[in-house]
Amino acid sequence: MESAAVKSEGLVIPLIDFSNFLNGSPEQRKTTAQAILKGFQEAGFIYLKGLPFSPDYRQHVFKSSAQLFKLSEEDKMKCCWTTPEANRGYSAPGREKVSLIEEEGDVTKLRSAAPDLKESWEIGREGEEGHPNHWPKEEGELAGFKSTMLEFFDKCKLLHTEVMRAIAVGLDIDEKWFDGFTDVGDNTLRLLHYPSVDRNVFQVNPGQVRAGAHSDYGSITLLFQDTRGGLQVQGPTGSFVDATPIENTCVVNAGDLLARWSNDTIKSTIHRVVEPPAAEGDTYPARYSIAYFCNPNYDRMIEAIPGTYTRPEELKYKAISSGDYLVQRLTATY
């Protein structure tokens, strides 16, 4: 029996031991896959434990990320984010405004009123023609940064494949049905830094958040949190519920493209990052997280997954290429 990582306001997010899918018996693999699919269908979010990431390895990756954001503003801006098509490089505080709005002008107004209090660094598939990654100069504490992040990218790519295989098993379709959609690795590793902030920032502007309410765009997101907290998920009542960090777990949520792909049988749930639950004096300490945004290969057409509908008239969406869909969504965000 899986336990609940979150249970409040009608929202139940399961905590699932993924080692039972990776290394378990056929019965364990099936039961785990069904629990994963149910979590995505009912909450849009799950927590996974039993992952092939040791605590020391996670700590090493987080330390490398923290060192990156200690670079001077001038050095970070040399690697600045450029276009939605590339989606690589450094994004300064206030550059991105995640929201539920899809019109570019309306996002600009919201960004001016309450910019997200975060900075990020996007790393895409290495070697993609025309879209090179932007790597910082590796000196001192940043020595080995590129190799660390490329290794972590590849480990997350493998985890993406396995989670999609679990979804396939849960749906009673061929376990490797999604493999041809995940093999290229058109994914994005995002390093996130929410700088320390005075408590009064949130009191002066009640609409201020560290990251606004939004749903993710792709298939699934793998989120690795530090211990600070602040992530909230919207429950069925409309209230936001704390998704408290649990040591050595990964929070996984379904994105808009997977909801579309599943003919809306899987949920893409709204979430945000808000004022943390605890301050130190008059200051909220910095928060770090690492998100790995998983997408189908950009050149693949996305049509309803087998088993998510029975009659053609039940289809809710027209086919669209993965790459076109994601560029549309990113264009409104930046």
Side-chain angles (χ1 to χ4, degrees):
M1 190 81 174
E2 302 293 343
S3 59
V6 175
K7 190 174 184 179
S8 180
E9 297 290 335
L11 178 70
V12 179
I13 302 179
L15 172 60
I16 298 169
D17 188 345
F18 198 53
S19 67
N20 288 329
F21 182 79
L22 294 175
N23 307 308
S25 65
E27 184 179 346
Q28 287 175 315
R29 298 183 82 250
K30 180 69 172 179
T31 300
T32 304
Q34 290 171 336
I36 287 170
L37 179 62
K38 182 181 178 184
F40 285 141
Q41 289 173 333
E42 295 184 355
F45 271 76
I46 60 175
Y47 282 59
L48 293 181
K49 63 179 182 179
L51 299 171
F53 301 96
S54 72
D56 287 347
Y57 180 71
R58 286 172 63 122
Q59 185 178 11
H60 170 66
V61 175
F62 267 85
K63 182 179 178 181
S64 296
S65 175
Q67 292 296 337
L68 175 73
F69 291 110
K70 289 180 181 178
L71 288 173
S72 68
E73 197 66 24
E74 180 183 1
D75 284 340
K76 287 186 285 191
M77 292 303 290
K78 289 176 182 176
C79 298
C80 193
W81 190 96
T82 52
T83 67
E85 288 78 11
N87 193 28
R88 287 162 167 81
Y90 174 68
S91 181
R95 172 69 188 269
E96 181 196 27
K97 182 61 188 178
V98 290
S99 72
L100 301 176
I101 301 172
E102 296 189 20
E103 295 299 324
E104 192 171 349
D106 292 336
V107 173
T108 301
K109 293 177 186 176
L110 184 60
R111 182 187 292 115
S112 299
D116 285 353
L117 300 176
K118 69 176 188 294
E119 57 182 342
S120 65
W121 196 293
E122 323 291 321
I123 299 168
R125 173 168 59 86
E126 184 76 345
E128 183 179 352
E129 187 175 352
H131 300 306
N133 280 310
H134 304 303
W135 297 109
K137 193 172 182 179
E138 296 199 15
E139 296 178 331
E141 296 291 338
L142 270 180
F145 176 83
K146 178 179 177 179
S147 61
T148 292
M149 293 305 160
L150 288 179
E151 179 186 33
F152 188 66
F153 188 103
D154 287 343
K155 286 180 179 291
C156 289
K157 179 188 172 186
L158 290 173
L159 180 57
H160 171 213
T161 297
E162 293 295 343
V163 173
M164 297 307 293
R165 286 177 177 176
I167 292 172
V169 172
L171 287 169
D172 285 323
I173 60 177
D174 185 271
E175 178 178 332
K176 296 186 177 181
W177 191 86
F178 291 106
D179 283 12
F181 291 90
T182 64
D183 56 347
V184 173
D186 283 328
N187 307 319
T188 300
L189 174 62
R190 166 179 282 188
L191 310 178
L192 282 155
H193 172 222
Y194 301 85
S196 61
V197 61
D198 291 339
R199 294 182 65 171
N200 62 15
V201 167
F202 296 97
Q203 296 163 0
V204 170
N205 187 355
Q208 183 65 64
V209 293
R210 279 178 153 176
H214 65 285
S215 55
D216 290 347
Y217 306 154
S219 52
I220 61 172
T221 302
L222 312 175
L223 176 66
F224 302 86
Q225 302 190 75
D226 67 9
T227 60
R228 296 295 182 190
L231 175 66
Q232 292 187 330
V233 179
Q234 190 173 49
T237 65
S239 299
F240 280 91
V241 177
D242 290 333
T244 304
I246 298 176
E247 191 174 7
N248 297 324
T249 65
C250 176
V251 178
V252 188
N253 63 282
D256 295 343
L257 195 53
L258 181 56
R260 179 184 181 122
W261 207 357
S262 74
N263 207 38
D264 285 340
T265 59
I266 285 173
K267 290 183 178 180
S268 177
T269 304
I270 295 167
H271 52 285
R272 66 187 185 183
V273 180
V274 297
E275 181 179 1
E280 294 179 4
D282 293 328
T283 303
Y284 290 109
R287 175 182 186 262
Y288 293 90
S289 65
I290 299 175
Y292 188 79
F293 295 99
C294 305
N295 308 303
N297 300 343
Y298 288 162
D299 63 351
R300 293 301 302 265
M301 295 300 292
I302 302 305
E303 302 176 89
I305 300 165
T308 59
Y309 66 98
T310 55
R311 301 186 305 277
E313 57 267 28
E314 294 173 352
L315 291 171
K316 294 185 177 182
Y317 303 101
K318 294 181 179 179
I320 189 170
S321 82
S322 170
D324 287 347
Y325 178 83
L326 292 163
V327 167
Q328 288 173 17
R329 298 297 304 275
L330 285 165
T331 298
T333 303
Y334 286 88

